[in-house]
Each structure stands twice: as C-alpha cells, then as structure tokens.
Amino acid sequence: MRDILRIENFSYAYPGAERYILRDVDMEIGPGECHCLTGPTGSGKTTLLMAIKGILPSGQQQGKIVCEGIKEDGSPSAGIVLQDPETQLLGSTVGSDVAFGLENQCVDPGLMTERVEAALSAVGLEKPLDFNVRRLSMGQKYRLILASLFVMKPELLLIDEPAAQLDPEGLSHLLELVLRLKSSGMAFIICEHNPEPFYKAIDTFWELDKEGSISRSSPRNAALSFRVSETKKLPEPDNCLPLIHAKDLLVEGQKGYPIWSDVSFDLGAGRRMAVWGPNGAGKTTLLRCLTGFLKPASGTVEMFGRRPEPKVLRGRLGCLFQNPQKQIFETTVFEEIAFPLKRLRTEERLLEKRIQNVLELCGIEDLVLASPHKLSYGQKHLVALASILAPEPELLILDDPFAGLDTAYCSRISELLVTLSQEQGTSVLWTVHNPSQVSNWADIILNAQGGRITLQ
Amino acid sequence: MIMKERKGREKAGFFNIHLKDALFLGFCAVFILIFRAAFRLHLNITGHSMLFSIFFLLLARGCISFRLAASLTGLLAGCMAIILGLGKGGPLLLLRFVLPGLIIDMGAFCIPSMFRSYVLCALAGAVASSSKFLSTYIVDTMIGMEKSIIFQHALIESGAAILFGIAGSFFIPPVIRRLKAYGVIDY
Amino acid sequence: MRREGGLLCNEVMSRYPDQQGMNIPAGLKLLCCTLLSICAFAARPVWALIVLSLINLLIVLAFRLGISFFKKEIRVFIWQSLIIMGLYSLRFGFDHGLLPGFLTSWQLFLAFVPGVMFIQTTPRSQVARTLSRIMPWKMAFVLSTSMQFMGLLLEEIRGIYEAQALKGGRILLKDIWKPWNWPDLVHCLIVPGIVQSMAVANQIALAAKARDFGKNNNRTYWPGD
C-alpha cells in the first residue's frame, strides 16, 4: 500500500537558531492510519507538523518530505489544526470561515455552497451558514476548523494538542470524527501530551526527544500520568475568617445575560480548591470577579475579609492567568522575580534572600541571569510562577496552570503547589478544563457548567 | 513528488511584506482608531487624536522593516475610519492618516536610527502632525479662502495636534529599546 | 478565549451603528458624493452655494438621515464658522469680514458633508466590499482581518493588564496619570501588549497560509456575504 507521507532524514533549524530543532526524522504514514506524536514541551512537535504542511519559515533544512497526495503547486494535500482555535477562525460566519480555503483555491463561487454544506455535515456541525462564529462553543469551533480544512479535500490531517483546548465531551466528539474519517482513508497525525482520549484511534506512537530525534514509542510512555505524591488533607481551621467568601454571586455578560448565578463558597487558609468546567463555562470570569476586576451584578464577594480591590490584594494574592509567559517583561529572570518585591518596597537584603528561595523552590537557580524571553515554554511558565511566589502570598489563584505543559512540567508544578500548601499554609485555587487535572489533592472541587458553579 | 530544501513562503507579495507584518500594521491601524474614539467619547479632548496616531505610526515603522510601513498603516487606518464612519471628511479621511505616515517613512528612510532618539522621534512626530496644517492649508486654498487667513486657520486647526503628536512620540524610544532587548525586532 | 469582544471595542462600535441605506450601488454613491465635493470647491458665487445646499438637503431627506445627523453636522458648521468668521473679522474688520467668512465656511462645509452622507447611508459591509474591489485583495484581507480580531487582541491585553496590576505594576487608572509611573506603563503593559500583538498576527498569518492563502495570484469570494 502506498504511503501518504514519507519523511526521510529530515532536519530543520529556525532562521538564526544555533541548533537544529529536528534531527534526522524518519516517518511513514499510510492511508487510514492515525499516528500520535508525543514528546516534552519544546521538542519540535509543532515544528514537524508545520514542516509537513510546508509553512515553516525558511531556515536550515535537510532531507526529504515525500507526499503522495500532492497538489499542483508541490505542497502536500495536508490540513493542519494549530494549537489556538481562536486565531484560526478567519471568517465571521460559519459559511465564510469554511469557504476561506476555497476562496484561496479560486473555486467557482457557484460551487462553494454545496461543498461547504458537505464539509459541515461531515464533521457533524449543524449550524446555519450565516451563524456568527463567536457564538460557537469551543468544541463547535474545533469542528468548524476541521470542516474548513476538510472542504479542501486533504488526505492527511495534522492536529496539534487538541486536549489543551477541548473538554472531555469535545475530545469524545473529536475521537468519533477521527474514527469515521479514518475509515474513509484519511490519515491523521495528532500531537498530544495526553493521548489517552485517542487510544481507540491511534495506530502508532512516536516520540520526539529533547534533541529533536524521533523514535517509535508505546502508549504507556506517552500517557500523561502525573499524580502528586501522597498529600495530607489539612484539618479545617477553627473560627478563621475565610480567605475567599462568595455568597449568591451573579455575574452578567454583555447585554445582561447571566454567565453564572447563585455561586456560594468559602476557601479557608491552607485549603486547596479546584474549579473545573468546559471552556467558556465562566471559570476565568470567576477569577476576575475574585480579583476585583469584574463587579458581580449581585451577591457578595470578599477577599481577606473585604471587598476585593487589586491594589489591596497585592502581596497577599499571587495570580497567574492563562498563558503566563505573555506577562513576562523584564530582561533577566532575576529582575522579573524582583519586580513585585520592589513594588512592595521589600528591603534589599530580604529581597535577594526571597529571590534565592523562590528560585530553589522552582528549580530554576541556573536561569537567574538568563533572558526570560529566550527560555523554553515550560521554563517561562516556571519563571512566571516564581515571580508571583516571591512575595510569599497567602493565596494563589492559577488559571489553567497545566495547559500546554508536558508531564514532567505538570508534575513539577503540582509538587511545588503541594509543598507551598502543606509547608507554608498557602491556599491554592486553580481552574482546569479537564477533570483528570483536578487531581487527588484538592480539598474542595467546584464544577462550572450550565450557568452554575456548584460544589462537587 | 519530492520536496527538497523547501523554503517557506515568506512574502505575501504585495509590496514585499510578510503577511504577519502586514497584519501587525493592521492592528496598529485599529489601535489608532480605537484609542482616538475612546478618548473622544470619554474625555472629549480635541487634538488628542494625534497622540495615538503618531505613536502607532512610529511604532509600525520602528517594528517592521518595510519602507512604507507607516504609510500602509495610515492607509489601513483611513480605510477603517471610512468603513466605520469615524471622523469627519468622508473619503478625505484617508489623507489625514496617510500623510503623517508618509512623512514618518521619509524620516526613517533618511535617518534609520531615529527610533532610538527622543529628539529625532519628537521631530518626526511634530513634522508628521503638522501634515494636518498642510492638508488644511491645501483645502483652504482650493476653497478660495483669503490668503492672509489661510495660515492662521491652518495653525489653529493643527496647533494642538502638533503638541499631542510630539507627546505621542516620546514613548517610542523606550518601547523600541525594550523590543530589541527581547529580540522581537532585529534592527 | 475570544469573549464577546473587548468592552472598549464594542462601546466604540455601538456608538457608530451600521446604517441601512437605499438600494443604490455604493460605487455610484461614492462617485456622486465625490462630484458634489468637487463642485463645492468650485462654487464661489452665492447662488452656486444655495443650489449645492439644496441638492445636499434633498439627499438628506431622501435618505431620511434624521435629526441626529443634522445636530451633529450643524454643530461642526457652527464651530468652524465661528473660527473662520473670527479670523476674517480680525483681518478685515467686523463689517467687511463677517460675510466673506461665512461664505467661505459654508463652502468648506459643503465640501465635506457629501463624504459624511456617503458613510452614513452605506452599510458597513457594502463599504468594505467597495473598498476591497479597489484595493489589492491581500490588503483587503489584512483590513478585514485586523478589524475582526481586534476584540481578541483587546482581551489579551486586558489579561496582561490585570495580571501585571496584581503583581504590583503601577498601571491602574489612578496611577497612569502620574508621569513617574509611565515607565511601568511602558514596560509592564505597552511592550508586552505589542509583543502579544505580534504573536497573534503571526498565528493568524500561519492559519491563513495553512489554508493556502497567497498560493494563487487571485482569489474568489464566498457568495454568502
């Protein structure tokens, strides 16, 4: 049987980079096969997908990518779903988004509607063609992106880390779709730290190591199985003012529609709370409400016994929002961690001691003088975390802290949070979209779904 | 078919600019309009619009090594202003955004290192903002306004704009310096 | 991650609502408005100004532009007239300067008002489509995509702002009016905001290229718009 894709001795280095990110990669994929590509953060998985699609910036390149399903201009007949779905919705309506690729291929407008409808039907997205894409759920957006690629008739689909965006329901729909399209001969490559949801569909596992070399792997090696070592659940402290007190909260979105209502919970000192729910359920909105940036329409919210105000929360609250590396702005790791301490007017001798402590806690002592912008994704994550830990806050709020990280980094961060919680009595509140990341060390679990946030 | 030594498709083709750079210029253009309109809605300060226009036009040219970056940003901002109906003058709005952009591009062509200097940026900001003087002067001349009054009228229209334009330019050197330190821009 | 769009973006857009005009091609309207503006530049005698004003008034009534249009444009006309009549009076004296000043201001007003009428009477999508026929299609893509993604970008910057404010950055609203806090504004918000804008632009460009944008020298259009 012919291969749809054959990669022979392929190596690649980005323009201006000192080292190759991919080295001597060999890979074969036949029709109807599904391959899973795993590897630590920064190992080059996305780069390989982009190389297959032919959208890499020009750099140093060796070897061959041989593709049978080739188009006239020499590019492979492959479609790629990149990591962030939001930046891939290029049309304002469902129809125009799916038709974007057809427009670029100069397909006759008279033929577009039929092809668009067929593609939407193939992915199971039953929405009118003039439906506004912003109103779709994350799972629907993902299917829309797949439809927009499917309409271009690829033979190979490349999907980059779907579990970072999709909740269990979305993943299950995606698996169903993959199995259905596989049976009609379409091939897949799925990059994933957590391939468990796709076990039924995956035929071959590959692993990229830190040097950029590829080898066949096994499901056990590929599985995300970070579990924190045994934690002791701290007893509920007596007669202590809760750090967070929320009662009958109602938050409205634009045009007055409620995002969620009747939310009540308390978080005491040294406690650990997880909030899980699908994307779009309002988890980040809850955090914005707790930090004082969003006023609830009704109800009460108190942080450390008073109405939350950002200026007052500094020093007592450490907050890490999604994609924390975009908040990094200093020129060295030392300055980045020192920034909040300087703003709190920490004494010079105490400042250096605190920075040293937090560097050791996060395991990044060797990066103290490095430029944070040149670090890997996982290292940037740790630097951002270190900068909020430096003031020794009483409460940590983390928005989806494990998104996009491999097992090693996830375990490292989990262990770090447990240490802070058990040894320093720091309370932790974190949000996740995947219940498997709630883990065995949450004292309280809130479930955000269907316009409600309830205790589980 | 074999793909050997494939070079990535680098340039979008129009005026030889990368698509990602063109989109960044588009974002600069939208920021110009958003901040202009927001300040007008909330503060109602006249002449303030040049502060944001000059800042983002200088930023566009300072970040993107394309000779007409500021002009293109101005053109995009003008088109967006027409589409959204922001500002007065209808289709003549284009001139109001493109002229300062052209002046900035000319300045950068003559002195490529101007973005590192407060004085040079302020000078570029002042000259670019004074394009409002020029456009008012031209229109008044075409209308047939009394010659001795044209100069005064154009000065009144553009005086505050020049001051705000200079103010907008002061943020550019520290921003460009930082972006270079990050390695995000390379010239 | 795309929410309902930045509040700032929506507030601005809601103040300039889209208009439903008569069913006249936008290109024809643009041509007529341009001709009217050109005529205004040439119209020096009073009778010419009166004729032009009547034509513009007819257009305003035909398109039912409403009281708010009158209020806004009359305000502009009054302010402009005061300045120009004032300058003429200073130069030629009150008796000899007032009338010429008023006529000049009237002429200037008639030169700009057709353009405003064009925008007020043409749906945004039609204006965009007209522009995209005149400009290169890649530029039209950049134009429409930048506007489309502005909400997402503002959300990203809002996230940066909130995180930095909690870390101690002196960038809260009451802080940024003090010039000694401006270094924080630049380093904590403006620069990361620019970096994030570049990153978003890069991701969008990749997504477009992934769907063959730019592979051909032309492109067709989805008939649904």
Side-chain angles (χ1 to χ4, degrees):
Chain A
M1 199 175 359
R2 66 178 177 96
D3 284 332
I4 279 194
L5 176 76
R6 201 163 64 249
I7 307 176
E8 294 176 7
N9 253 357
F10 183 77
S11 301
Y12 177 79
Y14 278 99
E18 288 166 5
R19 66 173 197 95
Y20 278 88
I21 189 159
L22 295 171
R23 281 177 197 281
D24 303 321
V25 171
D26 290 293
M27 202 177 180
E28 314 83 40
I29 297 170
E33 290 180 13
C34 179
H35 293 236
C36 178
L37 183 60
T38 63
T41 308
S43 56
K45 302 185 294 296
T46 304
T47 305
L48 182 57
L49 294 192
M50 285 167 55
I52 295 169
K53 177 57 194 168
I55 56 173
L56 277 179
S58 61
Q60 286 183 66
Q61 204 171 290
Q62 289 166 24
K64 301 178 207 166
I65 296 178
V66 182
C67 194
E68 282 295 330
I70 207 85
K71 294 196 278 204
E72 280 162 14
D73 60 0
S75 60
S77 177
I80 181 168
V81 182
L82 298 164
Q83 280 188 32
D84 184 2
E86 297 288 352
T87 54
Q88 295 173 81
L89 298 172
L90 300 175
S92 52
T93 60
V94 166
S96 64
D97 188 73
V98 177
F100 183 78
L102 300 179
E103 291 172 331
N104 299 330
Q105 290 179 337
C106 294
V107 170
D108 188 320
L111 302 172
M112 282 186 190
T113 308
E114 199 187 321
R115 282 179 67 170
V116 164
E117 283 172 348
L120 287 167
S121 176
V123 303
L125 184 63
E126 306 293 337
K127 288 286 178 198
L129 296 179
D130 60 354
F131 193 84
N132 190 331
V133 298
R134 290 184 193 189
R135 292 166 54 196
L136 295 171
S137 67
M138 183 55 73
Q140 289 170 332
K141 282 177 184 168
Y142 220 84
R143 273 186 277 166
L144 180 64
I145 294 167
L146 285 168
S148 70
L149 297 170
F150 189 74
V151 80
M152 297 166 70
K153 300 183 181 168
E155 296 210 12
L156 170 65
L157 267 181
L158 313 166
I159 308 179
D160 198 0
E161 298 201 29
Q165 296 296 332
L166 295 173
D167 56 21
E169 191 187 336
L171 288 171
S172 142
H173 281 133
L174 181 59
L175 172 66
E176 213 178 279
L177 186 61
V178 168
L179 287 168
R180 191 155 33 91
L181 292 174
K182 260 187 74 176
S183 64
S184 61
M186 188 170 289
F188 288 86
I189 301 178
I190 302 176
C191 279
E192 197 37 82
H193 292 304
N194 176 23
E196 277 179 63
F198 301 102
Y199 275 174
K200 261 198 212 170
I202 296 170
D203 303 301
T204 313
F205 286 87
W206 300 88
E207 189 174 350
L208 270 172
D209 62 26
K210 282 191 176 155
E211 304 307 313
S213 301
I214 201 169
S215 56
R216 285 187 190 250
S217 179
S218 69
R220 198 177 40 231
N221 286 353
L224 175 76
S225 53
F226 81 90
R227 285 188 69 79
V228 181
S229 43
E230 280 298 314
T231 58
K232 54 179 195 283
K233 293 214 171 169
L234 300 172
E236 186 83 47
D238 300 321
N239 295 326
C240 252
L241 202 65
L243 298 190
I244 304 178
H245 169 68
K247 182 111 178 81
D248 300 328
L249 280 182
L250 163 70
V251 166
E252 289 172 350
Q254 292 180 22
K255 297 178 187 171
Y257 296 120
I259 297 176
W260 34 257
S261 55
D262 298 325
V263 175
S264 301
F265 64 89
D266 287 342
L267 181 66
R271 309 289 282 169
R272 301 179 288 257
M273 176 186 282
V275 181
W276 83 268
N279 279 315
K283 303 185 296 294
T284 304
T285 306
L286 173 65
L287 302 189
R288 292 188 66 218
C289 204
L290 296 177
T291 51
F293 288 107
L294 188 64
K295 300 266 180 295
S298 67
T300 316
V301 57
E302 286 174 358
M303 297 281 281
F304 306 105
R306 52 185 290 182
R307 202 162 53 92
E309 279 178 42
K311 205 160 187 169
V312 171
L313 292 172
R314 285 169 184 164
R316 300 187 77 179
L317 169 68
C319 202
L320 208 64
F321 288 111
Q322 283 182 5
N323 294 325
Q325 67 278 359
K326 67 187 178 198
Q327 296 151 208
I328 292 172
F329 64 94
E330 286 287 2
T331 46
T332 64
V333 171
F334 182 91
E335 289 300 326
E336 186 70 35
I337 298 172
F339 177 80
L341 296 173
K342 285 180 184 171
R343 286 294 171 275
L344 289 168
R345 304 207 171 133
T346 308
E347 280 174 33
E348 196 67 39
R349 53 174 183 83
L350 189 57
L351 188 140
E352 295 211 8
K353 188 166 171 248
R354 287 254 184 109
I355 293 173
Q356 192 54 37
N357 286 347
V358 86
L359 285 169
E360 283 168 12
L361 190 64
C362 297
I364 51 172
E365 307 95 303
D366 54 330
L367 301 177
V368 61
L369 293 175
S371 166
H373 307 280
K374 299 191 167 115
L375 301 178
S376 70
Y377 184 89
Q379 287 172 328
K380 281 184 193 170
H381 218 93
L382 286 171
V383 169
L385 187 57
S387 73
I388 64 157
L389 294 178
E392 294 178 359
E394 296 164 58
L395 170 64
L396 280 180
I397 289 181
L398 311 164
D399 194 1
D400 214 353
F402 306 114
L405 293 175
D406 58 31
T407 318
Y409 274 110
C410 286
S411 298
R412 211 158 146 186
I413 288 173
S414 310
E415 295 283 353
L416 172 62
L417 296 175
V418 168
T419 305
L420 285 168
S421 161
Q422 293 191 153
E423 292 176 15
Q424 295 179 20
T426 308
S427 301
V428 184
L429 186 157
W430 73 102
T431 69
V432 290
H433 65 275
N434 189 334
S436 68
Q437 292 170 340
V438 168
S439 199
N440 57 334
W441 48 284
D443 302 311
I444 310 164
I445 299 172
L446 294 183
N447 184 354
Q449 268 197 93
R452 306 287 305 273
I453 300 181
T454 50
L455 215 58
Q456 188 164 294
Chain B
M1 191 179 292
I2 293 167
M3 291 185 303
K4 238 189 293 198
E5 298 287 340
R6 271 188 90 246
K7 294 202 186 310
R9 187 115 181 187
E10 282 307 319
K11 304 205 185 285
F14 78 102
F15 311 132
N16 271 346
I17 182 174
H18 295 243
L19 180 58
K20 63 180 169 77
D21 292 339
L23 285 166
F24 177 70
L25 298 185
F27 288 149
C28 289
V30 183
F31 278 130
I32 290 173
L33 297 183
I34 293 268
F35 284 109
R36 277 166 66 106
F39 272 74
R40 185 174 295 151
L41 288 173
H42 291 286
L43 297 176
N44 214 19
I45 303 173
T46 54
H48 67 278
S49 52
M50 270 301 171
L51 189 145
F52 303 107
S53 299
I54 297 301
F55 174 77
F56 283 107
L57 289 173
L58 281 168
L59 182 74
R61 184 61 183 88
C63 291
I64 306 297
S65 58
F66 171 60
R67 288 218 170 117
L68 295 172
S71 309
L72 186 56
T73 305
L75 185 59
L76 288 166
C79 291
M80 288 177 200
I82 292 170
I83 291 171
L84 298 172
L86 297 172
K88 54 183 197 282
L92 291 169
L93 270 177
L94 276 175
L95 269 178
R96 193 180 288 187
F97 292 98
V98 173
L99 272 177
L102 271 169
I103 292 169
I104 286 169
D105 283 332
M106 277 193 314
F109 180 73
C110 298
I111 313 173
S113 58
M114 76 177 202
F115 301 100
R116 286 185 239 147
S117 158
Y118 284 98
V119 170
L120 290 174
C121 279
L123 189 63
V127 175
S129 315
S130 65
S131 62
K132 192 167 184 203
F133 177 93
L134 190 68
S135 58
T136 309
Y137 198 97
I138 290 171
V139 168
D140 288 351
T141 307
M142 283 165 65
I143 286 281
M145 197 181 279
E146 180 60 38
K147 281 186 174 42
S148 52
I149 291 176
I150 290 173
F151 182 86
Q152 290 157 343
H153 181 228
L155 200 61
I156 290 173
E157 290 284 318
S158 60
I162 292 174
L163 289 173
F164 276 107
I166 293 173
S169 69
F170 276 129
F171 286 94
I172 291 296
V175 167
I176 297 291
R177 238 191 331 266
R178 270 282 161 146
L179 291 172
K180 277 185 142 164
Y182 292 173
V184 168
I185 58 176
D186 55 8
Y187 81 108
Chain C
M1 192 154 37
R2 183 186 289 173
R3 309 285 188 267
E4 287 291 328
L7 280 173
L8 188 63
C9 188
N10 285 342
E11 189 180 349
V12 168
M13 298 284 278
S14 67
R15 292 288 182 119
Y16 300 94
D18 209 355
Q19 294 291 338
Q20 293 299 322
M22 285 168 61
N23 197 10
I24 297 174
L28 184 62
K29 257 195 265 180
L30 185 59
L31 186 64
C32 295
C33 290
T34 309
L35 279 170
L36 278 171
S37 288
I38 291 170
C39 291
F41 279 110
R44 304 287 162 88
V46 177
W47 63 264
L49 291 173
I50 294 171
V51 166
L52 265 177
S53 301
L54 284 171
I55 295 173
N56 279 295
L57 186 63
L58 274 170
I59 294 172
V60 169
L61 292 171
F63 281 95
R64 295 192 206 110
L65 279 170
I67 304 289
S68 62
F69 173 82
F70 277 111
K71 273 191 193 166
K72 197 172 155 203
E73 297 312 314
I74 296 296
R75 225 180 8 239
V76 168
F77 177 64
I78 291 171
W79 177 244
Q80 186 181 265
S81 300
L82 284 172
I83 294 174
I84 294 175
M85 284 160 63
L87 287 171
Y88 265 82
S89 302
L90 276 171
R91 175 73 178 82
F92 297 111
F94 198 75
D95 293 335
H96 296 104
L98 221 51
L99 185 60
F102 175 75
L103 291 174
T104 306
S105 174
W106 188 3
Q107 199 184 352
L108 202 57
F109 180 72
L110 289 172
F112 283 109
V113 93
V116 178
M117 285 196 300
F118 167 75
I119 288 163
Q120 294 276 347
T121 59
T122 313
R124 212 172 284 145
S125 56
Q126 219 179 353
V127 176
R129 236 191 338 269
T130 306
L131 280 173
S132 69
R133 284 196 188 115
I134 306 168
M135 64 177 69
W137 55 268
K138 283 171 185 167
M139 185 167 152
F141 170 74
V142 169
L143 186 69
S144 60
T145 305
S146 315
M147 292 200 290
Q148 189 182 321
F149 279 92
M150 187 39 58
L152 172 72
L153 198 53
L154 286 174
E155 283 291 327
E156 297 269 336
I157 291 170
R158 182 190 54 69
I160 294 172
Y161 167 79
E162 291 176 1
Q164 305 290 47
L166 284 170
K167 259 167 79 169
R170 293 179 288 229
I171 53 174
L172 295 170
L173 281 173
K174 40 193 160 195
D175 295 326
I176 57 175
W177 298 112
K178 299 165 190 164
W180 50 90
N181 291 334
W182 287 352
D184 268 17
L185 180 66
V186 168
H187 297 146
C188 297
L189 185 59
I190 294 178
V191 171
I194 292 167
V195 172
Q196 192 57 21
S197 306
M198 288 178 171
V200 171
N202 188 33
Q203 285 164 30
I204 296 169
L206 269 178
K209 279 197 263 183
R211 287 198 247 165
D212 293 350
F213 181 84
K215 286 266 162 78
N216 295 309
N217 290 330
N218 208 345
R219 65 197 300 262
T220 48
Y221 287 95
W222 164 244
D225 278 344

